[in-house]
């Protein structure tokens, strides 16, 4: 997923029980600028400046953490940089401001050095200037975008996995045309005027103080504290999956290239992260990219980088994932959808252990390990010429084939309960009827579909046990194909049959295109193209 592809219709959903708008699992409240202006006026009169600043910094930092973690649960971003830019677009879509990341510097290993940018139409400057006009106090003598600094600090800290602090260097409330900011790792700022994301009175780490703040304010008191982008330990009782994990743990400490095969939603990225966590590279970055989600030109640039002037819009040199990963791991998801031209360049990178940026003249040595995954039959594609045979042999040094969820039925209920407790610790769980419904379903979307249905059940059941009626309708009744839907009826064309099946899956996901694409085993962009084509010819 790229930042530019974020759509309000996908990130803002609706609670099917109460009809409230949701961002991920969180209910959205709409508050007008006029209301915030009145609140600001009372807040200034009732609370001293130091306390106001501390409250704004701490709460806004929490907002930023929540935005980053919610987006990461909805989308897979090809790099931390793209994830950071997605946050900028999110804040524009939700009315905070228009945020632009102008410059960004990272080390070859992906560690943040510094970024700069600007805000326009900041909600904080808007409130300040309206209040200023009302009481005639004039311009501010210091920056006022305290909450935006906190939000971006929290967001960037989650994305880069270390404490990042953002400071406003110029502000529209001081007479500037826009607000400018700069973000760096906290240690790079020194100790002057450090924002109050820490609790100075009680000491402790940033994480522990955020937890204390949650408890003090009653916010998400029971939410487990899990590290961002943490490797998940798979739930496993089925013998077939235990043998897979045994193979995984044996190959992890080596430098062998691994090819993970399995249906969409069967846990390929979980296994890839387990390989990285069990390797000597675990302290280096794990960078994932979806090969089906990007155009060939963009995919080439993301993987290998480009030099300034290589193409229109290439205003500066860009390091690709092979360089950003350093001695870490690159996870190439949906590699079966990689264009043949890029396949040739990937083969050279694997063979020669060097890459050449787009438009560049010099090769750059690379040390990253490759773990690839696909839900397609690469061997068959290679025989038909749809995938390079030499690349296939290079990738399949150590293949791992994951079973579908139906092949590991013993794991269905443990997986459901694990997902349930992860989202709502202490929840009373599933009723016998709900458990029976889970066990009777065929799970075309595998573990990912199971997790989505648990989320659906939680929304409807709330704090009560999840019953069969709280699960998606597809659980409670398996529809029988009518002649017009089946292959024995009107004998539709392959294109028409494909379109009908896509509509069926979209109906099953209640119009969620991201989830539908995952069940279908295709990229979201591919699904959009099919739907657009069908609309044109329909």
């Amino acid at each position: 997923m790229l930042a530019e592809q974020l759509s309000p219709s996908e990130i803002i959903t609706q609670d099917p029980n109460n009809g409230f708008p949701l961002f991920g699992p969180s209910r959205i409240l709409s508050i007008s600028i006029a209301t915030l202006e009145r609140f600001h006026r009372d807040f200034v009169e009732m609370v001293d400046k130091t306390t106001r600043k501390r409250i704004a910094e701490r709460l806004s930092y929490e907002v930023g953490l929540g935005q980053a973690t919610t987006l990461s649960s909805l989308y897979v971003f090809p790099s931390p940089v793209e994830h950071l830019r997605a946050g900028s677009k999110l804040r524009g879509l939700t009315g905070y401001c228009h945020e632009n990341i102008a410059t960004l510097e990272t080390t070859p290993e992906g560690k943040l050095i510094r970024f700069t940018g600007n805000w326009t139409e900041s909600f904080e400057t808007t409130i300040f200037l309206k209040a200023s006009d009302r009481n005639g106090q004039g311009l501010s003598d210091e920056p006022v975008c305290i909450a935006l600094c906190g939000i971006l600090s929290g967001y960037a800290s989650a994305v880069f996995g270390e404490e990042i602090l953002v400071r406003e260097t110029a502000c529209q409330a001081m007479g500037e045309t826009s607000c400018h900011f700069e973000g760096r790792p906290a240690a790079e700022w020194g100790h002057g005027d450090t924002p109050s994301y820490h609790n100075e009175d009680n000491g402790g780490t940033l994480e522990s103080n955020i937890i204390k703040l949650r408890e003090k304010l009653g916010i998400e008191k029971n939410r487990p504290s899990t590290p961002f982008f943490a490797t998940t330990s798979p739930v496993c009782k089925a013998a077939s999956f235990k043998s897979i994990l045994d193979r995984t743990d044996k190959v992890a400490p080596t430098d062998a290239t691994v090819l993970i095969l399995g249906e969409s939603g069967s846990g390929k990225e979980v296994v890839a992260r387990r390989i990285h966590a069990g390797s000597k590279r675990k302290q280096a970055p794990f960078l994932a990219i979806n090969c089906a989600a990007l155009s060939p030109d963009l995919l080439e640039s993301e993987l290998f980088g480009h030099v300034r002037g290589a193409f229109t819009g290439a205003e500066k040199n860009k390091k690709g994932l092979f360089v950003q990963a350093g001695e870490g791991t690159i996870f190439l998801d949906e590699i079966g959808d990689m264009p043949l031209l890029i396949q040739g360049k990937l083969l050279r990178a694997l063979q020669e252990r060097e890459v050449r940026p787009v438009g560049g003249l010099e090769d750059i040595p690379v040390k990253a390990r490759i773990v690839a995954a696909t839900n397609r039959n690469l061997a068959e594609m290679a025989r038909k010429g749809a995938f390079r045979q030499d690349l296939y042999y290079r990738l399949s040094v150590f293949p791992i084939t994951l079973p579908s969820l139906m092949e590991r039925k013993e794991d269905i209920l443990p997986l459901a309960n694990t997902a349930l407790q992860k989202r709502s610790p202490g929840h009373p769980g599933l009723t016998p009827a709900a458990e029976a419904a889970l066990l009777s379903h065929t799970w075309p979307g595998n573990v990912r579909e199971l997790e989505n249905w648990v989320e659906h059940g939680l929304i409807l059941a709330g704090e009560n046990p999840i019953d069969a009626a709280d699960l998606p309708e597809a659980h409670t009744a398996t529809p029988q194909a009518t002649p017009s839907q089946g292959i024995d009826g009107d004998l539709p064309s392959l294109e028409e049959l494909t379109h009908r099946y896509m509509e069926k899956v979209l109906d099953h996901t209640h119009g969620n295109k991201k989830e539908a694409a995952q069940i279908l085993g295709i990229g979201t962009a591919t699904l959009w193209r099919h739907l657009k084509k069908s609309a044109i010819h329909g």
Side-chain angles (χ1 to χ4, degrees), residues 306-381:
H306 63 250
V307 300
R308 181 181 179 183
F311 49 82
T312 303
E315 299 177 353
K316 59 182 179 179
N317 293 347
K318 172 185 172 62
K319 296 174 182 177
L321 294 190
F322 272 91
V323 176
Q324 291 181 42
E327 296 187 4
T329 302
I330 298 176
F331 177 53
L332 302 175
D333 198 9
E334 297 194 48
I335 196 166
D337 294 283
M338 178 178 281
L340 285 168
L341 176 63
I342 312 300
Q343 290 178 29
K345 296 192 174 185
L346 174 60
L347 177 64
R348 182 174 182 274
L350 290 171
Q351 288 177 334
E352 306 299 331
R353 306 303 298 168
E354 59 186 22
V355 296
R356 178 173 296 183
V358 178
L361 300 176
E362 297 182 359
D363 295 324
I364 302 174
V366 294
K367 299 179 180 180
R369 179 187 195 174
I370 295 297
V371 176
T374 183
N375 57 11
R376 306 181 68 177
N377 188 333
L378 283 194
E380 182 65 22
M381 291 177 65

Side-chain angles (χ1 to χ4, degrees), residues 8 23 36-37 56 80 84 102-103 133 178 201 208 216 241 258 273 332 384 430 496 511:
F23 172 50
L36 286 176
E37 182 194 346
L84 187 70
T103 65
D133 288 343
S178 63
D201 298 330
S208 67
K216 188 174 182 180
F241 202 62
V258 180
R273 290 185 181 276
L332 302 175
K384 293 180 177 180
L430 303 157
E496 173 62 20

Side-chain angles (χ1 to χ4, degrees), residues 436-449:
L438 294 178
L439 291 172
S440 66
H441 188 64
T442 57
W443 300 112
N446 292 292
V447 179
R448 187 182 294 120
E449 185 183 13

Side-chain angles (χ1 to χ4, degrees), residues 432-468:
E435 290 182 346
L438 294 178
L439 291 172
S440 66
H441 188 64
T442 57
W443 300 112
N446 292 292
V447 179
R448 187 182 294 120
E449 185 183 13
L450 175 61
E451 292 177 340
N452 290 338
W453 283 356
V454 168
E455 187 80 31
H456 185 283
L458 261 177
I459 292 171
L460 293 183
E463 297 181 357
N464 300 315
I466 296 176
D467 199 7

Side-chain angles (χ1 to χ4, degrees), residues 11 19 67 79 120 123 135 137 142 258 348 377 379 385 399 416 432 434:
I11 63 174
Q67 288 181 348
S79 67
T120 55
F123 81 97
N135 59 30
Q137 73 180 51
E142 61 183 355
V258 180
R348 182 174 182 274
N377 188 333

Side-chain angles (χ1 to χ4, degrees), residues 271-316:
V271 171
R273 290 185 181 276
R274 185 183 180 96
I275 291 171
H276 178 70
S279 73
K280 61 187 179 183
R281 303 167 180 269
K282 62 184 177 182
Q283 300 302 325
F286 176 95
L287 303 181
I289 187 168
N290 187 324
C291 300
L294 306 179
S295 67
D297 290 343
L298 190 54
L299 178 60
E300 182 179 13
S301 175
E302 287 294 326
L303 287 175
F304 310 118
H306 63 250
V307 300
R308 181 181 179 183
F311 49 82
T312 303
E315 299 177 353
K316 59 182 179 179

Side-chain angles (χ1 to χ4, degrees), residues 241 244 247-248 258-269 271-272 275 331-336 371-381 387 392 395-405 407-408 446:
F241 202 62
I244 292 297
R247 282 173 57 82
T248 298
V258 180
L259 177 62
I260 305 173
L261 305 168
E263 296 178 4
S264 178
S266 58
K268 295 188 289 294
E269 184 167 352
V271 171
I275 291 171
F331 177 53
L332 302 175
D333 198 9
E334 297 194 48
I335 196 166
V371 176
T374 183
N375 57 11
R376 306 181 68 177
N377 188 333
L378 283 194
E380 182 65 22
M381 291 177 65
F387 195 87
Y392 169 67
L395 290 172
S396 57
V397 173
F398 195 91
I400 295 176
T401 302
L402 302 187
S404 68
L405 188 53
E407 294 174 294
R408 44 185 295 216
N446 292 292

Side-chain angles (χ1 to χ4, degrees), residues 442-513:
T442 57
W443 300 112
N446 292 292
V447 179
R448 187 182 294 120
E449 185 183 13
L450 175 61
E451 292 177 340
N452 290 338
W453 283 356
V454 168
E455 187 80 31
H456 185 283
L458 261 177
I459 292 171
L460 293 183
E463 297 181 357
N464 300 315
I466 296 176
D467 199 7
D470 300 318
L471 300 171
E473 293 179 5
H475 263 148
T476 57
T478 303
Q480 300 296 316
T482 63
S484 63
Q485 294 172 322
I487 199 168
D488 297 323
D490 57 355
L491 296 177
S493 66
L494 180 59
E495 182 178 358
E496 173 62 20
L497 191 60
T498 300
H499 178 61
R500 290 183 189 178
Y501 181 62
M502 286 183 173
E503 286 187 328
K504 183 182 177 76
V505 173
L506 278 168
D507 182 64
H508 163 68
T509 63
H510 305 288
N512 186 317
K513 295 180 179 61

